[in-house]
Amino acid sequence: MATPIKVNRIGLEPQIYKGGKTTLCAGCGHNAISERIIDAFYEMGVEPTQVVKLSGIGCSSKSPAYFLGGAHGFNAVHGRMPSVATGVALANRKLMALGISGDGDTASIGIGQFVHLMRRNLPLIYIIEDNGVYGLTKGQFSATADLGAKLKTGVINDLPAIDTCIMAIELGATYVARSFSGDKRQLLTILKAAIAHKGTAMIDVISPCVTFNDHEGSTKSYQYSKDHDEPLNELGFVPYFENIDLDYDPGTTTNVVMHDGSSLRLRKLGRDYDPTDKLAALHVLQEAHEKGEMLTGVFYVNPEAPSFVDLLNLVEEPLAKLPESQVRPPKKVLDEIMETLR
Ligand SMILES: Cc1ncc(C[n+]2csc(CCOP(=O)(O)OP(=O)(O)O)c2C)c(N)n1
Ligand code: SF4
Ligand SMILES: [Mg+2]
C-alpha cells in the first residue's frame, strides 16, 4: 500500500510551503529562519496564496524567495519596506502580511520607517534577521552591533546598540519577541503565536552571518549566542483548531488567549514575569543589557489593542476590490466639500 501523503489541516502538502533554492551562504542563520517560517505556516494551515511577503534590501531581504513560493511578494527599496507594507495591508486587509528585514535594513537606513510602522499596530509580522552587520555589502557594523564587538579586521564597534525590541515595545507594537535562529523550538512557537496575533508582531531573530560575523570577538556569532542565550520563559502554543484543554498551573504558567482563540503559554523560568506588563518588559530588557545576557522569549503581548485597520474603521471588503462606484464620491458630495473650503 502506498504511504499516505502528509497534509496539513487545509489539505496542503509541506512542499507547497517551500520556495526557491537558497542562494545564501551555507550555514547562514537566515536559512534556518526560512525553514521555521515554512514549518510555522504549514502547521498553522495558512493558505500561502493569502500571504504577502515584503522585504527591503540585504541577504535577509532576499530570503522571502526561499519560502512560501505561492505567496504574493514585494521586494522594496533598502529600509523602505514598512511604507509599502502599510499600503499593502490597508489595500487588502484579507491578506496576511509578512515583512522580512535585516538589522541594517531596519535599524540603520530604515529606522525612520520602522519607528512609524511600530506605532501604528498594523496587522503584520515583522521579522528582523539580525546578524549585527551588513552581510550583503561585506560585513560593516550595523546599528544593532554591540558596543565593543569586534570585526574580523580587528575594528571595534564604539557605539551602543539599538535594541529593536525595546523600541518596538515603547512605540506600540503589541507582540514583541526575540529568538535565535539556532533555537528551532522557541522560534517556531514564537512564529506560530505571531500568526495568531492581529496587530504588529515584531520578532528580532539573532541570525549569525557565517561569512562576516561568526568569529571570536563577535557578539552575534553562533558560539556567543549559544553561550549567552537566556530564555525568559518556556513557550508553549495551542492553536485554536486543536482544541486541546491542557492543564496548567497559573502559579508557574501565564496563559495568553490570542485574537483567534489560540493559547500562548509562558512558563516561568526562575523569575516572576507578566508578559502583558509593558514596563516590566522594558525593565527586563534593560537589565539583560547591563548583565550582557542575550535575553530571548516573548517579552510583551497585548492581544486586545485595536489594530490600525480597526482604528481606521476600514470596511470588511478589501479596498482593492471595491468597485469604482463605491470609492469615488459622487459629484454632489465633492461639490459640497469644495463649498466648505471656500
Ligand atoms: C539606498 C541604499 N543604500 C545602500 C545600499 C547598499 N546596501 C545593500 S544591502 C545593505 C545592508 C544590508 O544589511 P542588513 O539589512 O543587515 O542585511 P543582511 O545582508 O545583513 O542580511 C546596504 C547598506 C542599498 N542597496 N540601497
Ligand atoms: S554574507 Fe552573511 S548574511 Fe549574507 S548570506 Fe552569507 S552568511 Fe548570510
Ligand atoms: Mg544584517
Side-chain angles (χ1 to χ4, degrees):
M1 211 170 74
T3 350
I5 299 166
K6 188 177 144 195
V7 291
N8 64 3
R9 73 183 177 99
I10 59 163
L12 296 181
E13 294 174 34
Q15 190 60 29
I16 308 280
Y17 290 81
K18 296 190 176 161
K21 193 172 172 331
T22 179
T23 59
L24 302 183
C25 307
C28 175
H30 303 349
N31 286 330
I33 301 173
S34 295
E35 284 166 23
R36 297 295 82 69
I37 292 172
I38 291 170
D39 295 345
F41 279 77
Y42 172 80
E43 288 179 27
M44 289 295 282
V46 180
E47 165 69 72
T49 56
Q50 295 307 300
V51 177
V52 53
K53 306 175 287 188
L54 301 126
S55 62
I57 299 290
C59 300
S60 34
S61 292
K62 282 168 71 179
S63 65
Y66 316 133
F67 57 79
L68 307 187
H72 305 270
F74 196 106
N75 196 196
V77 176
H78 195 24
R80 272 65 163 193
M81 174 260 279
S83 47
V84 177
T86 306
V88 167
L90 297 183
N92 191 341
R93 60 179 296 177
K94 300 282 188 230
L95 293 178
M96 181 177 287
L98 171 61
I100 306 290
S101 185
D103 42 303
D105 195 64
T106 288
S108 298
I109 197 169
I111 195 75
Q113 296 232 341
F114 174 72
V115 163
H116 291 283
L117 179 70
M118 291 302 120
R119 62 195 275 267
R120 295 196 161 119
N121 201 27
L122 189 78
L124 164 91
I125 302 172
Y126 188 96
I127 298 174
I128 305 175
E129 302 191 341
D130 187 356
N131 50 22
V133 288
Y134 303 163
L136 191 71
T137 55
K138 300 198 178 301
Q140 304 84 349
F141 280 128
S142 79
T144 68
D146 292 303
L147 184 68
K150 205 194 245 180
L151 287 183
K152 263 186 183 169
T153 52
V155 174
I156 308 265
N157 178 38
D158 49 13
L159 293 172
I162 287 179
D163 186 321
T164 50
C165 289
I166 293 184
M167 283 190 88
I169 295 168
E170 253 172 10
L171 289 162
T174 46
Y175 177 95
V176 179
R178 173 167 288 131
S179 192
F180 167 44
S181 64
D183 187 339
K184 286 188 181 177
R185 197 162 160 261
Q186 186 199 49
L187 180 55
L188 179 62
T189 312
I190 287 176
L191 287 170
K192 290 206 279 191
I195 291 172
H197 185 64
K198 76 161 179 175
T200 299
M202 204 304 285
I203 310 168
D204 180 49
V205 189
I206 306 301
S207 175
C209 167
V210 285
T211 303
F212 298 109
N213 204 13
D214 197 32
H215 48 271
E216 179 123 19
S218 157
T219 59
K220 300 265 196 281
S221 64
Y222 276 107
Q223 196 55 50
Y224 188 94
S225 304
K226 275 185 200 142
D227 294 346
H228 294 79
D229 186 356
E230 190 67 45
L232 173 64
N233 28 42
E234 193 182 288
L235 302 173
F237 180 74
V238 185
Y240 72 91
F241 52 84
E242 275 183 8
N243 213 3
I244 306 169
D245 203 13
L246 288 180
D247 270 347
Y248 68 95
D249 174 5
T252 58
T253 305
T254 307
N255 185 44
V256 181
V257 181
M258 308 297 289
H259 177 66
D260 67 356
S262 303
S263 273
L264 175 63
R265 306 264 158 94
L266 305 100
R267 198 169 74 80
K268 269 190 221 165
L269 287 177
R271 55 190 128 190
D272 261 333
Y273 188 71
D274 173 5
T276 63
D277 181 343
K278 215 175 193 178
L279 282 179
L282 295 171
H283 180 78
V284 287
L285 280 163
Q286 286 293 2
E287 202 177 59
H289 279 290
E290 274 155 37
K291 290 191 193 157
E293 283 172 358
M294 187 183 106
L295 198 64
T296 58
V298 173
F299 305 131
Y300 179 63
V301 53
N302 177 357
E304 311 294 337
S307 76
F308 199 43
V309 165
D310 301 328
L311 279 176
L312 293 179
N313 211 8
L314 287 190
V315 286
E316 273 305 313
E317 183 72 10
L319 300 184
K321 294 194 176 164
L322 290 177
E324 203 179 323
S325 59
Q326 278 183 271
V327 286
R328 180 188 286 226
K331 184 164 184 319
K332 186 170 165 289
V333 175
L334 282 177
D335 287 346
E336 281 165 16
I337 293 170
M338 292 311 285
E339 258 326 291
T340 65
L341 298 175
R342 267 178 197 272

